[in-house]
Amino acid sequence: MATTWMKALHRSGGGVAAALGLRIDYAKDYTKTDDGALIDSYECDPYTAQNEFLFSKRLYAKKTGRDQGKHDVIAYHVRMSFKPGEVTPQRTLELGRELALRWTKGRHQFIVAAHTNTNNPHAHIVFNSVNLYCDRKFADFKHSAIALRRVSDRVCLEHGLSVIEKPGLSKGYNRAEYLRQSKPPTVREQLRDIMDAALAGCKSHDDFLSALLAAGVDIKHGKQLAFKLPGAKKFVRQDTLGDDYSVDAIQERIDGKRIITHKRKTVAPVAASTKPNLLIDIQSKIQQGYGEGFRRWATVQNLKEAAKTLLFLQEHGITDYESLVEQAAEASKTFGAHNDRRKTIEVRLREIAELQKHIGV
């Protein structure tokens, strides 16, 4: 079982070299890596990684002419942490290297180090934001922490390790989203929610105010309307609730002239993982003349597909064969209904097209 965390590294007050050196030196700390025995790297030397990273950045700037200043991402720091007793420090190093290779697709230099200073063994990975050809940078994306976790889960499953079935929100990489979910709604957010609910079925502004009173909201009339939640100490003026909650906006919403979506921001749902492919029939391929190299590749490929299949089944709540049969039957029934609906629509469209042709004549 492994948890993952990722953070982009930016320039500090001391410049690129200082920021990069600080992070790499932390990863290579000899007191935590068995005197340097638990350090590895890819396409660079762990002892000169800082200078090699800096050299690639100079080549990148020369080739592209791009410089983002203080907003420039100079590297990424990834941590892969295991539960106590599940893996050895050497195994942690190997799994960390495999995660780094898959995450960067072998296109970026990195160093990886396994730390043994805590009860739970963990690997620190620092990879260069510039690729090996020095013409592109790593393309980070929203919710990349979720994608990183999925890659880590596959690595763990392929090596016979457990995974976290229902992982919670990250407090690190998605800090803002975590806080939005963990903090209670503000007074204004609560008022907006109540007003959204009160607008349903209202035919006039008086109906709207009556619905607010029925919901326990106190209303103060003056130059601007003000509202107070039950148990609250202060009134909140209507003109501070946002453009969609002004007097004119409320009237437009009652009249159906303004349609809004819910304003509360939530974390986007996790996208379903890539569906697994069919396994390779190794024996039949060998009989067709494929050699030992193909057998080794196909064995690893089948193991990866089996891991993807297990993750796919877990994400869709399929824990036994009966559940699989039930969901397959339901999916088949739904597909049949949609197919019948599509055919009906196509027939109707042909009829309309025929009518239009005659009307045009």
Side-chain angles (χ1 to χ4, degrees):
M1 179 186 297
T3 59
T4 52
W5 167 92
M6 186 173 80
K7 183 178 181 180
L9 305 180
H10 298 272
R11 297 182 183 182
S12 63
V16 177
L20 193 57
L22 184 66
R23 191 61 57 178
I24 291 178
D25 289 344
Y26 174 81
K28 297 192 304 181
D29 191 340
Y30 274 43
T31 64
K32 303 175 182 179
T33 57
D34 193 16
D35 292 330
L38 299 174
I39 301 175
D40 201 353
S41 62
Y42 174 75
E43 294 296 332
C44 64
D45 189 296
Y47 300 101
T48 59
Q50 177 184 353
N51 291 330
E52 292 183 56
F53 281 23
L54 291 172
F55 182 68
S56 70
K57 295 182 188 307
R58 294 191 186 100
L59 289 179
Y60 171 81
K62 185 176 181 180
K63 282 185 177 182
T64 65
R66 298 170 187 162
D67 184 5
Q68 295 178 303
K70 65 179 181 180
H71 301 294
D72 182 35
V73 177
I74 59 177
Y76 291 87
H77 182 187
V78 176
R79 185 182 64 211
M80 185 185 197
S81 181
F82 300 88
K83 69 179 183 180
E86 188 172 35
V87 293
T88 63
Q90 184 60 38
R91 185 75 160 168
T92 301
L93 180 65
E94 294 169 359
L95 294 172
R97 179 182 173 84
E98 185 169 346
L99 173 65
L101 279 172
R102 292 197 189 187
W103 183 243
T104 63
K105 299 180 180 179
R107 299 172 184 169
H108 297 259
Q109 300 168 303
F110 65 78
I111 67 163
V112 55
H115 284 193
T116 59
N117 59 309
T118 61
N119 292 330
N120 54 313
H122 56 282
H124 288 276
I125 302 161
V126 180
F127 69 89
N128 195 351
S129 60
V130 176
N131 69 4
L132 296 175
Y133 301 102
C134 302
D135 58 355
R136 291 181 181 274
K137 283 196 168 186
F138 179 80
D140 197 9
F141 53 94
K142 188 176 182 181
H143 301 305
S144 56
I146 296 175
L148 176 64
R149 187 189 71 222
R150 291 179 179 275
V151 176
S152 172
D153 285 349
R154 289 182 185 174
V155 171
C156 289
L157 285 172
E158 290 168 17
H159 288 271
L161 303 177
S162 60
V163 298
I164 302 174
E165 295 185 3
K166 296 181 179 179
L169 291 171
S170 168
K171 294 184 181 181
Y173 196 69
N174 290 320
R175 180 67 175 172
E177 294 167 355
Y178 173 81
L179 290 176
R180 282 201 297 271
Q181 293 294 311
S182 60
K183 284 186 176 181
T186 64
V187 171
R188 284 177 172 77
E189 287 175 338
Q190 293 180 59
L191 275 172
R192 285 192 285 264
D193 287 343
I194 294 175
M195 294 170 79
D196 288 337
L199 281 166
C202 291
K203 297 182 179 180
S204 66
H205 196 268
D206 289 338
D207 291 343
F208 168 67
L209 296 180
S210 298
L212 290 180
L213 291 171
V217 177
D218 290 338
I219 302 175
K220 183 169 68 175
H221 295 270
K223 186 177 181 180
Q224 284 284 344
L225 286 176
F227 308 99
K228 185 173 72 170
L229 291 173
K233 296 181 180 179
K234 297 181 179 179
F235 281 87
V236 177
R237 291 207 323 265
Q238 186 172 4
D239 60 351
T240 65
L241 293 175
D243 295 339
D244 291 322
Y245 297 89
S246 66
V247 176
D248 293 337
I250 291 295
Q251 188 60 52
E252 289 177 2
R253 293 172 65 180
I254 293 172
D255 296 337
K257 298 179 181 179
R258 178 185 291 225
I259 306 297
I260 69 165
T261 56
H262 202 280
K263 303 297 287 186
R264 184 74 52 78
K265 294 182 179 179
T266 58
V267 178
V270 178
S273 62
T274 303
K275 293 184 179 180
N277 297 314
L278 297 177
L279 298 181
I280 301 169
D281 188 347
I282 299 176
Q283 293 303 321
S284 66
K285 294 293 184 182
I286 291 177
Q287 291 174 3
Q288 295 174 21
Y290 289 83
E292 180 64 20
F294 173 82
R295 187 191 66 78
R296 288 196 299 268
W297 172 83
T299 301
V300 174
Q301 186 67 19
N302 281 348
L303 186 58
K304 291 180 179 180
E305 293 302 329
K308 288 167 63 177
T309 300
L310 180 57
L311 285 173
F312 181 84
L313 293 175
Q314 288 178 344
E315 290 168 358
H316 290 79
I318 302 174
T319 58
D320 50 47
Y321 181 73
E322 288 73 16
S323 300
L324 177 61
V325 172
E326 182 180 346
Q327 292 202 25
E330 184 64 27
S332 178
K333 181 180 178 181
T334 303
F335 174 78
H338 286 315
N339 196 38
D340 292 342
R341 175 63 177 163
R342 178 184 60 81
K343 291 179 180 178
T344 302
I345 293 174
E346 288 177 351
V347 171
R348 181 56 182 159
L349 287 174
R350 285 196 294 268
E351 292 175 352
I352 292 174
E354 188 68 21
L355 286 172
Q356 288 177 334
K357 183 172 67 173
H358 289 296
I359 291 172
V361 173

